């Protein structure tokens, strides 16, 4: 039977069980407690679910990545409660919003932006990955900036299958060094199953605009690639906010994330209006940062978490090497800002990341 052993399945499970009576017996005497999920997109579903078949039909319409999983169960489960019980038996880990009686919640997070190929991690990368997983960081996306680092990202995805994924592309800082052969290679390799995004791409005029036209041409080509293969774009936009968004609009790109966000509220709204997401790093935890005020005004359903490791280490480890496990500190800060339980922030931001990067890839047979 096909199963979604992924955060997509976990969100699916949370939505499904929330339609059954709280504390319901779902088989074997297992009691499920489901805290309210006020931001859950499933709230648009009918509150009544007279049968597993009817409920699944409504749910699948909202969660295409659950189709295979639902299809394998619906015909076998006459009631929503039995359907939930069958689903529980197929999912080894529960999402942060689901608590089994007498057990602790299992946190699930995704670091959507890190650079694990840097020399900073050369000596102890296995330990870095293990520490992250022990902290509940189930998946990490390592981001390339050129062809050599793209090769390293793909190698790491092979080394840590199902845990490390790759984004490949050309960073604007590499515009004067990248060759046509490099670009052709990236365009060929973007179809690798481990590649979940085109990035890191964008514009950067922090040190001047001398090569801005070349940057724009490169950025357009990378966005065209993302559109062509149907992958999200991971966008760098340092000191080039409006220009970056102008290119994104011109290329009709509406799937991706503006990473390490630090711009003004109006610009953030324009990014969201374009259909893109916003991601925060450890800089949201810094003293005197204006980012908490910005983050508080943005909907949690459009936010992603990232470390940008080995950079941007959050408080309380600022000044030290940043690791994917430190995304926990970013999540804690975002929960504080929004006045929400950290488990809920974990679930919502992970669901956001799954929807953007993994909805069509984390299906196991």
């Amino acid at each position: 039977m096909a199963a979604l052993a992924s955060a997509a399945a976990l969100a699916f499970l949370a939505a499904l069980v929330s339609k059954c009576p709280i504390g319901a017996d779902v088989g074997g005497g297992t009691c499920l407690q489901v805290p309210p999920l006020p931001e859950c997109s499933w709230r648009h579903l009918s509150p009544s679910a007279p049968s597993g078949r009817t409920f699944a039909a409504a749910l699948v319409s909202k969660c295409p990545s659950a189709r295979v999983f639902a299809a394998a169960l619906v015909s076998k489960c006459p009631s929503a409660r039995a359907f939930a019980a069958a689903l529980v038996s197929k999912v080894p880990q529960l999402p942060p919003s689901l608590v089994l009686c007498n057990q602790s919640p299992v946190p699930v997070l995704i670091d959507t932006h890190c650079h694990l190929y840097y020399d900073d991690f050369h000596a102890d990368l296995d330990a870095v990955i293990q520490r992250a997983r022990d902290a509940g960081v189930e998946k990490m996306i390592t981001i390339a900036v050129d062809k050599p680092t793209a090769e390293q990202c793909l190698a790491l995805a092979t080394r840590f299958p199902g845990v490390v994924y790759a984004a490949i592309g050309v960073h604007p800082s590499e515009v004067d060094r990248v060759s046509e052969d490099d670009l052709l290679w990236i365009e060929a390799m973007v179809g690798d199953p481990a590649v979940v995004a085109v990035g890191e791409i964008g514009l950067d005029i922090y040190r001047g605009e001398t090569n801005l036209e070349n940057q724009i041409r490169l950025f357009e080509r990378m966005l065209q690639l993302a559109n062509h293969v149907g992958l999200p774009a991971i966008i760098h936009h340092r000191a080039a906010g409006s220009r970056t968004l102008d290119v994104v609009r011109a290329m009709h790109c509406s799937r991706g994330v503006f990473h390490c966000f630090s711009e003004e509220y109006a610009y953030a709204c324009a990014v969201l209006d374009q259909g893109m997401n916003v991601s925060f790093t450890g800089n949201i935890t810094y003293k005197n940062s204006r980012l908490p005020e910005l983050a508080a005004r943005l909907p949690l359903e459009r936010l992603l978490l990232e470390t940008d490791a080995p950079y941007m280490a959050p408080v309380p480890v600022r000044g030290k090497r940043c690791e994917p496990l430190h995304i926990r500190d970013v999540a804690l800060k975002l929960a504080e800002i929004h006045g929400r339980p950290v488990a809920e922030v974990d679930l919502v931001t992970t669901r956001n990341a799954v929807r953007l990067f993994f909805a069509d890839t984390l299906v196991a047979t």
Side-chain angles (χ1 to χ4, degrees):
M1 181 181 293
L4 286 175
S6 68
L10 303 181
F12 180 27
L13 175 60
L16 182 64
V17 177
S18 68
K19 299 300 178 183
C20 299
I22 300 302
D25 185 336
V26 293
T30 302
C31 175
L32 287 174
Q33 299 172 346
V34 187
L37 296 176
E39 299 301 325
C40 186
S41 62
W42 318 114
R43 64 186 181 277
H44 300 298
L45 294 174
S46 170
S48 61
S51 71
R53 194 183 303 269
T54 300
F55 178 75
L59 184 60
V60 169
S61 71
K62 300 293 183 181
C63 185
S65 62
R67 289 182 187 278
V68 175
F69 194 65
L73 290 173
V74 174
S75 63
K76 301 182 183 300
C77 303
S79 72
R81 191 173 300 183
F83 187 46
L87 186 57
V88 169
S89 70
K90 299 297 178 184
V91 181
Q93 287 185 321
L94 299 178
S97 64
L98 249 63
V99 183
L100 281 174
C101 290
N102 303 318
Q103 293 189 21
S104 300
V106 179
V108 178
L109 287 170
I110 297 175
D111 185 355
T112 63
H113 195 116
C114 55
H115 301 274
L116 298 176
Y117 50 82
Y118 271 56
D119 289 343
D120 305 65
F121 296 120
H122 179 73
D124 65 340
L125 183 58
D126 288 277
V128 167
I129 299 295
Q130 190 58 54
R131 281 194 292 271
R133 300 197 73 191
D134 290 344
V137 184
E138 295 294 321
K139 304 199 180 293
M140 297 146 243
I141 304 176
T142 185
I143 317 293
V145 297
D146 57 12
K147 180 190 173 185
T149 56
E151 292 174 324
Q152 291 175 291
C153 287
L154 290 171
L156 289 173
T158 300
R159 180 175 167 186
F160 302 101
V163 177
V164 174
Y165 292 81
I168 64 174
V170 181
H171 190 281
S173 65
E174 304 302 311
V175 67
D176 294 328
R177 288 182 287 272
V178 67
S179 69
E180 179 64 20
D181 285 344
D182 292 342
L183 293 173
L184 291 173
W185 182 90
I186 288 171
E187 289 167 352
M189 294 304 296
V190 77
D192 189 291
V195 176
V196 296
V198 175
E200 180 175 351
I201 63 176
L203 301 178
D204 189 325
I205 56 174
Y206 181 73
R207 293 185 173 85
E209 302 184 18
T210 55
N211 60 1
L212 179 58
E213 291 304 315
N214 289 339
Q215 285 190 40
I216 290 174
R217 282 192 290 270
L218 174 63
F219 188 26
E220 289 173 341
R221 181 164 175 175
M222 291 289 98
L223 288 176
Q224 184 178 32
L225 174 62
N227 287 340
H228 178 70
V229 298
L231 288 177
I234 296 176
I235 296 175
H236 175 102
H237 54 115
R238 188 167 64 158
S242 62
R243 288 183 172 95
T244 305
L245 190 54
D246 287 344
V247 176
V248 170
R249 286 169 171 159
M251 296 302 296
H252 306 290
C253 183
S254 59
R255 187 179 176 207
V257 57
F258 279 59
H259 107 95
C260 194
F261 201 85
S262 61
E263 300 291 339
E264 300 295 332
Y265 176 69
Y267 179 69
C269 290
V271 168
L272 298 184
D273 287 344
Q274 182 60 23
M276 310 296 278
N277 298 274
V278 166
S279 182
F280 291 109
T281 69
N283 59 355
I284 202 173
T285 70
Y286 296 166
K287 184 179 180 180
N288 299 324
S289 171
R290 59 182 176 77
L291 293 178
E293 180 182 354
L294 169 65
R297 300 176 69 183
L298 301 179
L300 194 59
E301 294 80 6
R302 302 293 296 280
L303 303 183
L304 301 179
L305 304 180
E306 62 166 288
T307 60
D308 206 12
Y311 306 117
M312 309 299 290
V315 174
V317 293
R318 187 177 184 184
K320 301 179 181 179
R321 181 185 71 174
C322 186
E323 299 182 14
L325 75 90
H326 295 139
I327 200 169
R328 170 62 54 200
D329 297 296
V330 182
L332 285 169
K333 184 64 177 181
L334 195 59
E336 174 191 319
I337 291 167
H338 276 262
R340 310 271 277 275
V342 68
E344 185 180 347
V345 170
D346 290 351
L347 177 63
V348 174
T349 57
T350 295
R351 185 173 61 222
N352 298 343
V354 168
R355 186 182 299 118
L356 184 61
F357 296 113
F358 297 111
D360 301 321
T361 61
L362 295 184
V363 179
T365 302

